[in-house]
Amino acid sequence: MKPSIRQKLDQLALRLAEVDALLASADTARDMEQFRRISRERAEIEPVVRLYATYRQTETDLEQASALLTDPDMRALAEEEIAAAKARLPALELELQKQLLPRDPNDERNILLEIRAGTGGDESALFAGDLLRMYSRYAERRRWQVEVLSASASELGGYKEVICRVVGNGAYSRLKFESGGHRVQRVPETETQGRIHTSACTVAVLPEADAIGDIALNPAELKIDTFRASGAGGQHINKTDSAVRITHLPTGIVAECQDGRSQHQNKAAALKVLAARIKDMQRRAQQAQEAATRKSLVGSGDRSERIRTYNFPQGRVTDHRINLTLYKLAAVMDGDLDEIIDALNTEHQMAQLAALAGEA
């Protein structure tokens, strides 16, 4: 193990002792906010320190077994223990390095999922509907809730644009690498000569901003317009100015919603989308400014970046960032995304480990 990594682990062990002392103090017990904050810190540190203790004990076992090699009666047993310890140490070290990787503070957040039709006209809108179904089926598998905040349907089906809120534990951690361009290759239903068409959609996955603390929206910096909603909805939606469009003047970011039954509902939904978009913009700006931030092979999440192709004639899906091709397109479109998502997370983790080794 590199000295710098061992030093970080020793510091965590000392910090755990400090945290335990703080939690046992009467002053901390009287301040519930501080108690919760320190308790969360302990919950993060304790598993790492416990694993490090196992690593150090394995090192001690190796040293003690090596000392017995000179004893003829104990040599065979010592060699077995040495082999076992040497086999355990690399796996323990790798797991410790993973535990030291920086955690994305947004990983446990709910998300806003935005899907927009791109090149390809009606076929692109149909594919946007297919992507919404794919992510909705994945959410069902994980017992997440999906709430459509805004939708602009196309004439032949599908969506020109659809924005959903996905509520579930770890939603952002699982779907954060889905942002980017998604390309489909298939024969459209309207194609009479059987030619394969290529269409595209863009997907954006934004961590939901907290209601309090994350994004402070100054009412003086918001331009709020109301207008009559378009599309299906009956007499109510056609006779009242219930749709809401909110513009954040300092950034020019716009969010609108017209799917709720009242202006109040649409305004609340639009504010939620606006806050998430502003938070996403700030997060990307911060990442760009941090010299230590390295762009991993899974990409930057830029919506203009083509990340995946869905080829229906060949029944395959290819993620271009990690050169992963699976011949199970029907299952993927039905929400079986774990194999792709796990591969992307593993690739990202390996890039982080390489960066950690470079810094060590």
Side-chain angles (χ1 to χ4, degrees), residues 287-309:
Q287 288 177 342
Q289 291 171 358
E290 292 174 353
T293 300
R294 295 172 174 83
K295 181 180 176 182
S296 71
L297 292 177
V298 297
S300 63
D302 191 325
R303 301 177 203 188
S304 64
E305 177 186 15
R306 190 190 73 187
I307 64 169
R308 195 174 298 150
T309 295

Side-chain angles (χ1 to χ4, degrees), residues 3 105 184 248 288 304 306 342 360:
V184 60
H248 186 239
S304 64
R306 190 190 73 187
D342 288 341

Side-chain angles (χ1 to χ4, degrees), residues 53-70:
T54 302
Y55 180 87
R56 287 189 298 182
Q57 182 59 52
T58 304
E59 284 184 319
T60 300
D61 293 343
L62 178 60
E63 292 175 3
Q64 292 176 346
S66 298
L68 296 174
L69 287 174
T70 55

Side-chain angles (χ1 to χ4, degrees), residues 4-5 8 20 32 43 57 68 77 80 96 98 108 132 136 147 155 161 193 197 203 222 224 231 233 262 282 302 337:
S4 58
I5 294 177
K8 291 179 183 178
D20 285 338
M32 288 308 299
Q57 182 59 52
L68 296 174
L77 179 60
E80 288 182 13
L96 280 168
K98 289 180 180 179
E108 298 307 312
L132 175 61
S136 296
E147 172 190 359
E155 294 179 359
E161 176 186 91
Q193 299 183 24
H197 287 225
V203 173
L222 301 178
I224 301 178
S262 70
Q282 293 175 348
D302 191 325
L337 293 171

Side-chain angles (χ1 to χ4, degrees), residues 205-218:
V205 177
L206 314 180
E208 187 178 49
D210 282 345
I212 300 174
D214 261 9
I215 300 296
L217 294 176
N218 183 350

Side-chain angles (χ1 to χ4, degrees), residues 244-246 255-257 265-275:
V244 175
R245 180 186 298 110
I246 304 176
E256 67 178 53
C257 186
Q265 287 179 334
N266 285 327
K267 181 180 179 182
L271 282 171
K272 192 180 293 290
V273 173
L274 185 69

